[in-house]
Amino acid sequence: GVSRRLTGSTGESFGRAELMTLIDQCTDAAGLLRLVEKHGQSFDADHVFVAWGTVREMPSAAGRGDEGLVLQRLQVLTRGKIGEWDAQLFTIGVNLMAELHLTKRMEVDDELAGELQAGAKAKLGDFKPQDVSMLMWALEKMGIKKPDADLVEAMQGRARETAG
């Protein structure tokens, strides 16, 4: 819950908001990796979302070393939390992943690709027209060459429904 306290490696105690601040203030992959390894099991959906944005803002290591490990761990954490993202966070989060893929920093694993498509289907009624186009762009740019046919059809229908 929100009142939950976490204990850092030096014994300091901090709560949900403080953990969010620590994630947001990480300036290198090694620091974020330490946070994810120590407290990843306590990350909620918002922590995971902020971590994706934090990685995007860091200098690129082309997916090598600590950056590669952080990105792998974030994919695993995302699979468990993506259902909690609302339509706006979902769209932004998928686009962050697409940006990281396009800059050759990560490859989206097959399991996460499947969950992204399932999540998009589940949230379909909540997407605005620009969300639909952004999501289809992001899925394509992440290398999901053959998106689920039902998803494509549903996204096209949602775009027509909201545009008219």
Side-chain angles (χ1 to χ4, degrees), residues 19 29-43 65-66 68-70 72-74 77:
L19 181 57
L32 185 56
L33 182 60
R34 281 191 300 276
L35 273 175
V36 169
E37 287 181 341
K38 178 103 176 130
H39 300 293
Q41 74 281 359
S42 300
F43 279 23
D66 289 339
L69 293 172
V70 166
Q72 289 171 357
R73 293 200 179 46
L74 282 179
L77 289 172

Side-chain angles (χ1 to χ4, degrees), residues 100-127:
L100 290 165
H101 176 82
L102 282 171
T103 56
K104 311 251 187 269
R105 293 172 75 178
M106 69 174 265
E107 294 291 327
V108 175
D109 67 45
D110 290 341
E111 191 174 343
L112 180 57
E115 290 201 26
L116 292 172
Q117 292 180 81
K121 274 197 254 186
K123 296 177 185 323
L124 193 59
D126 299 329
F127 292 130

Side-chain angles (χ1 to χ4, degrees), residues 64-135:
R64 293 186 303 268
D66 289 339
E67 179 180 277
L69 293 172
V70 166
L71 290 167
Q72 289 171 357
R73 293 200 179 46
L74 282 179
Q75 288 190 62
V76 171
L77 289 172
T78 299
R79 289 194 296 263
K81 301 296 181 185
I82 200 162
E84 298 173 36
W85 288 351
D86 65 21
Q88 182 179 17
L89 288 182
F90 186 91
T91 302
I92 294 167
V94 171
N95 276 275
L96 286 170
M97 291 175 224
E99 288 178 36
L100 290 165
H101 176 82
L102 282 171
T103 56
K104 311 251 187 269
R105 293 172 75 178
M106 69 174 265
E107 294 291 327
V108 175
D109 67 45
D110 290 341
E111 191 174 343
L112 180 57
E115 290 201 26
L116 292 172
Q117 292 180 81
K121 274 197 254 186
K123 296 177 185 323
L124 193 59
D126 299 329
F127 292 130
K128 298 176 184 161
Q130 71 266 19
D131 295 335
V132 173
S133 63
M134 288 174 64
L135 281 170

